[in-house]
Amino acid sequence: MSVSVDLAGKAAIVTGASRGIGREIALALAEAGAAVLCAATNEALLAETVKAITDKGGKAQAVKADVALAADAEKLAAAALAAWGRIDILVNNAGITRDNLLLRMKEEEWDQVLAVNLKGCFNCTKAVVRPMMKQRAGKIINLSSVIGLTGNPGQANYAASKAGIIALTQSAAKEFGSRNLQINAIAPGFITTDMTAALGDDVKTKMLANIPLGRLGTPRDVANAVLFLASGMSDYVTGQVIVVDGGMVM
Ligand code: NAP
């Protein structure tokens, strides 16, 4: 028996949909039938994501937005409501790294990462919860990281932002549970995207040695977890962190 995720009639917002994991999440949600509002700052790449969806008969729109700005987050919610009259799914995926050892980390490296990764998640969540509460249904999926569970030298800013996302997820899950909103996080391990492309082969080889499933992750591995959390299959799951890392940090 095969079970497929059916998101027909649902409207989703995916931040950071221009590349990498966010692009794959947008494609996966659209394949499952959802209309997808794709957000990021690079308009040319966003247009490519939208074209990849609409070429296959899916529904998508692009909106340029910097998630660190509350006004841009509001713009995303307004655009989804104007286009589809509802918001069922928000995927807070936009994220950046500005790695440096703590002693050398500049204030702006700390501030930028916290502003995009953590405040961006707060801004977009705040922008969608009112319409979701009115609908008495909604799914918010936040991209954390295994680094938010373990810490990592050279990534104090990134680790703090990703741990903060877990605390934000749990707090929001408690605040909005009575309104039937499910709010969960995904903590990916090592996924092959632009974000990890810069790492040297020696680092990748060392990582592989610690991954029981014996391979690096793909954006589709993460998108599959998003499909579960975006669908009715997860209606009794909230405030959780699903680790998608091939077994790396257990
Ligand atoms: P990526 O390839 O670098 O893509 C990042 C995405 O975020 C891009 O679409 C980028 O679009 C968008 N973005 C960056 N700043 C933004 C802003 N201010 N406003 C709106 N969008 C913004 O990264 P990825 O590897 O796909 O990672 C996606 C998420 O998964 C991130 O939250 C990351 O921390 C998390 N994650 C990744 C890994 C991994 O191994 N790759 C592991 C754990 C967690 P523009 O440049 O067009 O704005």
Side-chain angles (χ1 to χ4, degrees):
M1 188 182 72
S2 80
V3 180
S4 61
V5 173
D6 181 7
L7 299 176
K10 305 286 185 193
I13 297 173
V14 180
T15 69
S18 58
R19 303 182 264 125
I21 295 171
R23 183 180 197 274
E24 194 67 19
I25 290 170
L27 294 176
L29 291 173
E31 277 164 20
V36 185
L37 193 87
C38 301
T41 64
N42 184 320
E43 283 183 287
L45 288 180
L46 266 186
E48 282 180 27
T49 304
V50 169
K51 187 170 182 304
I53 292 172
T54 52
D55 279 354
K56 285 192 194 162
K59 284 189 207 140
Q61 286 191 14
V63 174
K64 183 183 175 185
D66 176 350
V67 294
L69 306 174
D72 278 19
E74 292 289 343
K75 199 170 74 178
L76 289 180
L81 289 173
W84 301 304
R86 52 190 302 115
I87 304 171
D88 302 284
I89 301 155
L90 166 67
V91 184
N92 280 311
N93 164 83
I96 58 169
T97 51
R98 296 286 182 272
D99 297 352
N100 220 336
L101 291 171
L102 199 139
L103 275 176
R104 292 190 201 135
M105 189 173 285
K106 297 186 189 75
E107 190 180 352
E108 57 266 32
E109 289 170 335
W110 175 272
D111 288 346
Q112 281 171 5
V113 169
L114 271 289
V116 175
N117 297 9
L118 185 54
K119 191 175 174 198
C121 194
F122 162 74
N123 285 339
C124 294
T125 299
K126 203 172 165 200
V128 303
V129 285
R130 274 202 182 84
M132 283 184 173
M133 283 195 295
K134 270 195 203 152
Q135 291 166 197
R136 292 256 165 195
K139 305 274 190 182
I140 300 178
I141 300 147
N142 299 324
L143 268 289
S144 177
S145 166
V146 291
I147 302 301
L149 298 170
T150 63
N152 200 26
Q155 290 199 303
N157 49 359
Y158 184 77
S161 75
K162 294 299 181 179
I165 283 175
I166 294 173
L168 172 61
T169 300
Q170 292 167 335
S171 302
K174 287 183 177 179
E175 283 193 32
F176 298 108
S178 63
R179 306 302 183 102
N180 194 34
L181 307 196
Q182 289 83 29
I183 304 173
N184 292 288
I186 295 174
F190 193 109
I191 311 297
T192 47
T193 67
D194 290 352
M195 192 176 268
T196 46
L199 297 174
D201 283 345
D202 50 331
V203 178
K204 287 183 191 166
T205 308
K206 262 191 212 152
M207 292 229 174
L208 261 179
N210 290 317
I211 300 176
L213 288 182
R215 65 173 177 86
L216 303 180
T218 65
R220 188 48 70 147
D221 289 320
V222 181
N224 285 338
V226 170
L227 284 177
F228 166 68
L229 290 174
S231 77
M233 309 253 286
S234 61
D235 280 352
Y236 200 53
V237 178
T238 199
Q240 302 305 306
V241 184
I242 297 189
V243 180
V244 180
D245 71 342
M248 189 167 67
V249 301
M250 66 179 158

